[in-house]
PDB file of all heavy atoms in Angstrom:
ATOM      1  N   ALA A   8      98.105  79.712  92.118  1.00  0.00           N
ATOM      2  CA  ALA A   8      97.798  80.286  93.428  1.00  0.00           C
ATOM      3  C   ALA A   8      96.940  79.306  94.224  1.00  0.00           C
ATOM      4  O   ALA A   8      96.092  78.623  93.667  1.00  0.00           O
ATOM      5  CB  ALA A   8      97.073  81.611  93.257  1.00  0.00           C
ATOM      6  N   SER A   9      97.173  79.260  95.503  1.00  0.00           N
ATOM      7  CA  SER A   9      96.371  78.390  96.351  1.00  0.00           C
ATOM      8  C   SER A   9      94.983  78.990  96.535  1.00  0.00           C
ATOM      9  O   SER A   9      94.813  80.210  96.438  1.00  0.00           O
ATOM     10  CB  SER A   9      97.057  78.195  97.698  1.00  0.00           C
ATOM     11  OG  SER A   9      97.240  79.437  98.324  1.00  0.00           O
ATOM     12  N   PRO A  10      93.989  78.158  96.800  1.00  0.00           N
ATOM     13  CA  PRO A  10      92.633  78.681  97.010  1.00  0.00           C
ATOM     14  C   PRO A  10      92.601  79.646  98.197  1.00  0.00           C
ATOM     15  O   PRO A  10      93.343  79.488  99.163  1.00  0.00           O
ATOM     16  CB  PRO A  10      91.805  77.437  97.318  1.00  0.00           C
ATOM     17  CG  PRO A  10      92.604  76.286  96.822  1.00  0.00           C
ATOM     18  CD  PRO A  10      94.047  76.712  96.900  1.00  0.00           C
ATOM     19  N   LEU A  11      91.761  80.639  98.092  1.00  0.00           N
ATOM     20  CA  LEU A  11      91.590  81.581  99.194  1.00  0.00           C
ATOM     21  C   LEU A  11      90.809  80.904 100.315  1.00  0.00           C
ATOM     22  O   LEU A  11      89.926  80.083 100.060  1.00  0.00           O
ATOM     23  CB  LEU A  11      90.854  82.825  98.706  1.00  0.00           C
ATOM     24  CG  LEU A  11      91.630  83.661  97.684  1.00  0.00           C
ATOM     25  CD1 LEU A  11      90.713  84.667  97.007  1.00  0.00           C
ATOM     26  CD2 LEU A  11      92.797  84.356  98.332  1.00  0.00           C
ATOM     27  N   THR A  12      91.128  81.253 101.555  1.00  0.00           N
ATOM     28  CA  THR A  12      90.461  80.665 102.710  1.00  0.00           C
ATOM     29  C   THR A  12      89.804  81.764 103.543  1.00  0.00           C
ATOM     30  O   THR A  12      89.980  82.953 103.264  1.00  0.00           O
ATOM     31  CB  THR A  12      91.467  79.909 103.599  1.00  0.00           C
ATOM     32  OG1 THR A  12      92.345  80.864 104.207  1.00  0.00           O
ATOM     33  CG2 THR A  12      92.281  78.891 102.816  1.00  0.00           C
ATOM     34  N   ALA A  24      88.178  87.561 101.808  1.00  0.00           N
ATOM     35  CA  ALA A  24      88.616  87.851 100.443  1.00  0.00           C
ATOM     36  C   ALA A  24      88.188  86.749  99.486  1.00  0.00           C
ATOM     37  O   ALA A  24      88.276  85.560  99.808  1.00  0.00           O
ATOM     38  CB  ALA A  24      90.129  88.005 100.404  1.00  0.00           C
ATOM     39  N   TYR A  25      87.720  87.166  98.326  1.00  0.00           N
ATOM     40  CA  TYR A  25      87.354  86.240  97.251  1.00  0.00           C
ATOM     41  C   TYR A  25      88.111  86.550  95.974  1.00  0.00           C
ATOM     42  O   TYR A  25      87.952  85.842  94.986  1.00  0.00           O
ATOM     43  CB  TYR A  25      85.846  86.280  96.996  1.00  0.00           C
ATOM     44  CG  TYR A  25      85.064  85.618  98.102  1.00  0.00           C
ATOM     45  CD1 TYR A  25      84.555  86.369  99.157  1.00  0.00           C
ATOM     46  CD2 TYR A  25      84.867  84.247  98.124  1.00  0.00           C
ATOM     47  CE1 TYR A  25      83.855  85.765 100.189  1.00  0.00           C
ATOM     48  CE2 TYR A  25      84.174  83.636  99.146  1.00  0.00           C
ATOM     49  CZ  TYR A  25      83.666  84.400 100.171  1.00  0.00           C
ATOM     50  OH  TYR A  25      82.981  83.797 101.196  1.00  0.00           O
ATOM     51  N   LEU A  26      88.926  87.591  95.951  1.00  0.00           N
ATOM     52  CA  LEU A  26      89.744  87.939  94.802  1.00  0.00           C
ATOM     53  C   LEU A  26      91.177  88.171  95.239  1.00  0.00           C
ATOM     54  O   LEU A  26      91.433  88.867  96.219  1.00  0.00           O
ATOM     55  CB  LEU A  26      89.244  89.224  94.131  1.00  0.00           C
ATOM     56  CG  LEU A  26      88.040  89.070  93.229  1.00  0.00           C
ATOM     57  CD1 LEU A  26      86.774  89.239  94.021  1.00  0.00           C
ATOM     58  CD2 LEU A  26      88.120  90.053  92.108  1.00  0.00           C
ATOM     59  N   ARG A  27      92.099  87.585  94.486  1.00  0.00           N
ATOM     60  CA  ARG A  27      93.533  87.825  94.686  1.00  0.00           C
ATOM     61  C   ARG A  27      94.035  88.484  93.415  1.00  0.00           C
ATOM     62  O   ARG A  27      93.849  87.955  92.320  1.00  0.00           O
ATOM     63  CB  ARG A  27      94.288  86.523  94.923  1.00  0.00           C
ATOM     64  CG  ARG A  27      95.802  86.714  95.011  1.00  0.00           C
ATOM     65  CD  ARG A  27      96.540  85.404  95.207  1.00  0.00           C
ATOM     66  NE  ARG A  27      96.404  84.995  96.600  1.00  0.00           N
ATOM     67  CZ  ARG A  27      95.993  83.789  96.995  1.00  0.00           C
ATOM     68  NH1 ARG A  27      95.658  82.864  96.119  1.00  0.00           N
ATOM     69  NH2 ARG A  27      95.901  83.499  98.273  1.00  0.00           N
ATOM     70  N   GLN A  58      92.722  86.270  90.422  1.00  0.00           N
ATOM     71  CA  GLN A  58      92.111  85.009  90.843  1.00  0.00           C
ATOM     72  C   GLN A  58      90.772  85.368  91.475  1.00  0.00           C
ATOM     73  O   GLN A  58      90.714  85.945  92.549  1.00  0.00           O
ATOM     74  CB  GLN A  58      93.021  84.302  91.852  1.00  0.00           C
ATOM     75  CG  GLN A  58      92.456  83.021  92.408  1.00  0.00           C
ATOM     76  CD  GLN A  58      93.379  82.423  93.465  1.00  0.00           C
ATOM     77  OE1 GLN A  58      94.526  82.825  93.614  1.00  0.00           O
ATOM     78  NE2 GLN A  58      92.869  81.455  94.192  1.00  0.00           N
ATOM     79  N   ASP A  59      89.686  85.021  90.793  1.00  0.00           N
ATOM     80  CA  ASP A  59      88.345  85.392  91.242  1.00  0.00           C
ATOM     81  C   ASP A  59      87.599  84.153  91.716  1.00  0.00           C
ATOM     82  O   ASP A  59      87.259  83.287  90.921  1.00  0.00           O
ATOM     83  CB  ASP A  59      87.585  86.069  90.105  1.00  0.00           C
ATOM     84  CG  ASP A  59      86.217  86.588  90.517  1.00  0.00           C
ATOM     85  OD1 ASP A  59      85.757  86.260  91.629  1.00  0.00           O
ATOM     86  OD2 ASP A  59      85.613  87.320  89.721  1.00  0.00           O
ATOM     87  N   GLU A  60      87.350  84.068  93.006  1.00  0.00           N
ATOM     88  CA  GLU A  60      86.618  82.950  93.590  1.00  0.00           C
ATOM     89  C   GLU A  60      85.259  83.399  94.108  1.00  0.00           C
ATOM     90  O   GLU A  60      84.642  82.727  94.929  1.00  0.00           O
ATOM     91  CB  GLU A  60      87.434  82.315  94.722  1.00  0.00           C
ATOM     92  CG  GLU A  60      88.740  81.708  94.249  1.00  0.00           C
ATOM     93  CD  GLU A  60      89.506  81.005  95.352  1.00  0.00           C
ATOM     94  OE1 GLU A  60      88.955  80.822  96.465  1.00  0.00           O
ATOM     95  OE2 GLU A  60      90.663  80.645  95.107  1.00  0.00           O
ATOM     96  N   SER A  61      84.762  84.539  93.620  1.00  0.00           N
ATOM     97  CA  SER A  61      83.483  85.055  94.094  1.00  0.00           C
ATOM     98  C   SER A  61      82.311  84.153  93.715  1.00  0.00           C
ATOM     99  O   SER A  61      81.245  84.246  94.308  1.00  0.00           O
ATOM    100  CB  SER A  61      83.251  86.481  93.590  1.00  0.00           C
ATOM    101  OG  SER A  61      83.232  86.516  92.182  1.00  0.00           O
ATOM    102  N   GLY A  62      82.503  83.272  92.757  1.00  0.00           N
ATOM    103  CA  GLY A  62      81.460  82.307  92.397  1.00  0.00           C
ATOM    104  C   GLY A  62      81.106  81.379  93.544  1.00  0.00           C
ATOM    105  O   GLY A  62      80.010  80.815  93.588  1.00  0.00           O
ATOM    106  N   ARG A  63      82.008  81.229  94.486  1.00  0.00           N
ATOM    107  CA  ARG A  63      81.729  80.392  95.664  1.00  0.00           C
ATOM    108  C   ARG A  63      80.602  80.958  96.508  1.00  0.00           C
ATOM    109  O   ARG A  63      79.981  80.241  97.292  1.00  0.00           O
ATOM    110  CB  ARG A  63      82.985  80.255  96.537  1.00  0.00           C
ATOM    111  CG  ARG A  63      84.078  79.489  95.870  1.00  0.00           C
ATOM    112  CD  ARG A  63      85.307  79.291  96.731  1.00  0.00           C
ATOM    113  NE  ARG A  63      85.239  79.863  98.050  1.00  0.00           N
ATOM    114  CZ  ARG A  63      86.286  80.254  98.747  1.00  0.00           C
ATOM    115  NH1 ARG A  63      87.484  80.158  98.253  1.00  0.00           N
ATOM    116  NH2 ARG A  63      86.145  80.760  99.958  1.00  0.00           N
ATOM    117  N   LEU A  64      80.315  82.248  96.354  1.00  0.00           N
ATOM    118  CA  LEU A  64      79.258  82.873  97.150  1.00  0.00           C
ATOM    119  C   LEU A  64      77.871  82.407  96.728  1.00  0.00           C
ATOM    120  O   LEU A  64      76.930  82.485  97.505  1.00  0.00           O
ATOM    121  CB  LEU A  64      79.336  84.398  97.030  1.00  0.00           C
ATOM    122  CG  LEU A  64      80.558  85.027  97.679  1.00  0.00           C
ATOM    123  CD1 LEU A  64      80.693  86.473  97.245  1.00  0.00           C
ATOM    124  CD2 LEU A  64      80.465  84.919  99.187  1.00  0.00           C
TER     125      LEU A  64
END
Side-chain angles (χ1 to χ4, degrees):
S9 59
L11 294 166
T12 68
Y25 288 94
L26 281 89
R27 175 182 283 129
Q58 177 183 347
D59 185 350
E60 297 184 9
S61 60
R63 293 182 0 207
L64 292 168

